[in-house]
């Protein structure tokens, strides 16, 4: 491929079956990268394959077909195993006694715990603190997760949702600003 002064782009993946288990998709992707002048694929499990050559294209096609075959075989074996288990009388899926009640109890407890934090969190939301800053402030007053660790920013977000505090996310620091 002729160099035009610009860096050549490559598509790098560890294994072809991590990219896709659909041979047609892999070939379409190879066509698009070649058509757009993106260099070629580099597969860590097949480092010497150049998908822009006829031999490389054949190997890419074969390996993509093998990956697709294996995906279909996994599905077939799973279906066969489930059918065999069902024939033996194993009950698959379905209702678990008391599961809905336990889930409802956990949800109510989470809502009650969040309500207990409303007085502390509302001023933080109005001040525009980030989720991380809110978690640090709560840890400073002894409010930890059920595992005894400081609350994670995602947990702060869920607590704010439970409290119905409206706002919007700003930037990568996940600041929550009242709307």
């Amino acid at each position: 491929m002729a160099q035009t002064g610009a860096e050549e782009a490559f598509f790098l993946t560890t294994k072809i079956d991590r990219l896709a288990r659909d041979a047609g998709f892999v070939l379409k992707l190879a066509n698009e990268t070649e058509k757009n002048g993106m260099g070629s694929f580099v597969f860590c499990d097949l480092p010497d394959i150049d998908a822009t050559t006829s031999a490389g294209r054949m190997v890419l096609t074969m390996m993509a077909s093998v990956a697709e075959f294996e995906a279909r075989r996994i599905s077939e074996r799973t279906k066969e195993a489930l059918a065999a288990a069902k024939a033996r009388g194993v009950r698959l899926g379905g209702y678990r006694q008391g599961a809905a009640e336990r889930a409802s109890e956990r949800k109510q407890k989470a809502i009650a715990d969040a309500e207990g934090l409303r007085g502390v969190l509302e001023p933080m939301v109005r001040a525009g603190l980030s989720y991380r800053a809110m978690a640090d402030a709560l840890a400073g007053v002894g409010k930890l997760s059920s595992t005894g660790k400081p609350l994670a920013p995602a947990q702060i977000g869920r607590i704010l949702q439970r409290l119905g505090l409206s706002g919007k996310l700003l930037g990568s620091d996940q600041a929550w600003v009242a709307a």
Side-chain angles (χ1 to χ4, degrees), residues 48-65:
D48 298 326
I49 300 305
D50 179 1
T52 61
T53 67
S54 57
R57 182 67 175 229
M58 183 204 58
V59 172
L60 177 65
T61 302
M62 296 301 293
M63 295 306 290
S65 294

Side-chain angles (χ1 to χ4, degrees), residues 110-172:
I111 291 170
D113 290 346
E115 283 297 334
L117 296 172
R118 182 181 291 277
V120 175
L121 288 175
E122 281 181 337
M124 291 182 196
V125 169
R126 282 194 298 275
L129 294 180
S130 69
Y131 288 179
R132 170 68 58 208
M134 290 181 201
D136 292 344
L138 289 173
V141 296
K143 176 57 181 160
L144 303 173
S145 71
S146 61
T147 62
K149 296 179 181 176
L151 294 168
Q155 290 172 300
I156 297 296
R158 285 192 296 273
I159 291 169
L160 294 175
Q161 285 178 339
R162 287 184 185 109
L163 294 173
L165 296 174
S166 62
K168 60 182 179 177
L169 241 41
L170 290 180
S172 61

